[in-house]
């Protein structure tokens, strides 16, 4: 059953009060204010199965934005311009010296694909078009939409009320030079490759996406970062220290993200 807060409008309260049995996975709103109870097993299972099917579907033209996406990961500004950009991606194979160390990190999925930020964001319910050279088609290179890969059907979250949709990350292996992909939830766009796979450098062209703030240590200045935040229509951005990466929601002022950036970069 969906919990309701006292400040919900009358229309929302009326819609929710009809009962969870009348809700469908493609319409249910899941948010911190409207949690999907752990007791509502039938609806949770339906939401889980719907999300799995949508995130695996290649019928990009028939995938629509889910209403929960406007809450999390968040909506894109109405005036956001869709852009086409070519990003140079340099994948580096994990070293023989580091591999045994990484292999011990069982809790963190050590052999999950390495993620490379593009500085672009996919709008929920809108397809992006990805173009890659033929040389990448046999390298198990993927496009990932969304950074929040925690699946709420598992571990501790599986026994708690859901505050967002349980599975919101889409991953597609690139098997054609041109691929169109739609996510019902949207998210930051990454190019990914297996950490043990051979090194390569190649251009990846992405169309119909929205620019998202991207801070690169040693390259992006504080002034550049402030301008990116001020002009951003995407709800999330990324910053890349020298040996790791992170992401942050974009506040309206941008000041909070700048403070965190400085703290992490030691400036």
């Amino acid at each position: 059953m969906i919990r309701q807060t006292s400040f919900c409008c009358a229309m929302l309260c009326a819609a929710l009060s009809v009962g969870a049995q009348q809700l469908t996975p493609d319409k249910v709103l899941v948010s911190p204010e409207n949690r999907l109870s752990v007791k509502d097993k039938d609806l949770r299972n339906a939401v889980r199965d719907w999300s799995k099917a949508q995130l695996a579907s290649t019928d990009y033209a028939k995938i629509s934005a889910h209403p929960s996406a406007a809450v999390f990961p968040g909506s894109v500004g109405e005036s956001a311009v869709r852009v086409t950009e070519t990003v140079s991606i340099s994948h580096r194979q994990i070293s023989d010296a580091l591999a045994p160390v990484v292999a011990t990190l069982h809790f963190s999925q050590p052999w999950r694909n390495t993620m490379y930020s593009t500085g672009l964001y996919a709008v929920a319910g809108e397809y992006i078009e990805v173009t890659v050279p033929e040389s990448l088609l046999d390298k198990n290179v993927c496009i990932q939409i969304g950074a929040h890969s925690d699946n709420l059907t598992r571990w501790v979250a599986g026994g708690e009320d859901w505050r967002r949709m349980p599975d919101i990350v889409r991953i597609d292996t690139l098997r054609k030079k041109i691929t169109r992909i739609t996510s019902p939830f949207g998210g930051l766009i990454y190019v990914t490759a297996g950490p043990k796979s051979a090194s390569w450098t190649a251009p990846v062209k992405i169309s119909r996406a929205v620019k998202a703030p991207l801070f690169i240590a040693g390259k992006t200045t504080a002034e550049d970062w402030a301008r990116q935040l001020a002009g951003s229509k995407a709800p999330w951005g990324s910053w890349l220290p020298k040996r790791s990466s992170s992401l942050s929601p974009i506040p309206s002022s941008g000041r909070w993200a700048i403070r965190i950036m400085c703290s992490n970069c030691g400036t």
Side-chain angles (χ1 to χ4, degrees):
M1 186 71 66
I2 301 296
R3 293 182 180 174
Q4 302 175 45
T5 58
S6 59
F7 56 82
C8 286
C9 67
M11 184 177 295
L12 178 57
C13 289
L16 293 174
S17 66
V18 300
Q21 69 274 12
Q22 296 183 17
L23 296 174
T24 57
D26 60 325
K27 300 297 184 184
V28 62
L29 175 64
V30 184
S31 72
E33 291 76 28
N34 301 290
R35 303 178 187 182
L36 186 50
S37 171
V38 68
K39 297 179 181 179
D40 201 340
K41 294 182 180 180
D42 289 343
L43 183 55
R44 282 166 69 105
N45 288 340
V47 166
R48 176 201 62 200
D49 294 343
W50 180 90
S51 297
K52 183 177 180 180
Q54 289 288 298
L55 292 170
S57 174
T58 57
D59 196 353
Y60 67 89
K62 293 185 178 181
I63 297 175
S64 301
H66 192 277
S68 298
V71 180
F72 193 89
S75 59
V76 170
E78 293 183 1
S79 61
V81 176
R82 278 54 172 174
V83 301
T84 296
E85 291 201 356
T86 298
V87 183
S88 179
I89 302 294
S90 293
H91 167 64
R92 291 294 174 261
Q93 182 179 18
I94 189 171
S95 68
D96 292 339
L98 186 58
V101 178
V102 172
T104 66
L105 306 177
H106 302 298
F107 66 91
S108 62
Q109 297 180 300
W111 303 121
R112 189 183 183 95
N113 276 12
T114 303
M115 298 164 57
Y116 298 98
S117 297
T118 63
L120 296 170
Y121 195 95
V123 181
E126 295 186 16
Y127 76 83
I128 60 170
E129 184 174 279
V130 181
T131 305
V132 295
E134 191 169 352
S135 60
L136 290 188
L137 300 184
D138 62 346
K139 299 187 186 307
N140 200 35
V141 176
C142 301
I143 289 292
Q144 177 172 322
I145 297 178
H148 304 87
S149 58
D150 303 80
N151 189 321
L152 303 189
T153 66
R154 304 170 183 166
W155 303 102
V156 174
E160 298 179 339
D161 294 350
W162 290 342
R163 297 167 178 81
R164 66 160 170 86
M165 291 292 280
D167 190 6
I168 60 175
V169 168
R170 177 176 184 120
I171 300 175
D172 291 78
T173 302
L174 299 177
R175 307 184 190 281
K176 301 182 295 182
K177 292 179 66 175
I178 299 177
T179 306
R180 290 181 173 180
I181 307 167
T182 305
S183 166
F185 309 110
L188 289 167
I189 303 171
Y190 300 88
V191 178
T192 78
K196 296 181 180 180
S197 61
S199 300
W200 52 263
T201 297
V204 176
K205 179 182 176 182
I206 301 175
S207 302
R208 295 174 50 86
V210 171
K211 288 185 68 65
L214 176 62
F215 179 90
I216 303 174
K219 180 178 179 181
T220 307
T221 66
E223 291 77 15
D224 291 338
W225 183 234
R227 279 193 292 270
Q228 288 187 60
L229 291 174
S232 177
K233 302 299 181 181
W236 291 86
S238 304
W239 63 89
L240 309 181
K242 293 185 182 298
R243 297 185 182 276
S244 62
S245 64
S246 188
L247 69 155
S248 169
I250 305 301
S252 58
S253 69
R255 295 178 183 174
W256 179 72
I258 291 176
R259 285 200 296 270
I260 289 183
M261 176 273 292
C262 292
S263 174
N264 280 315
C265 294
T267 58

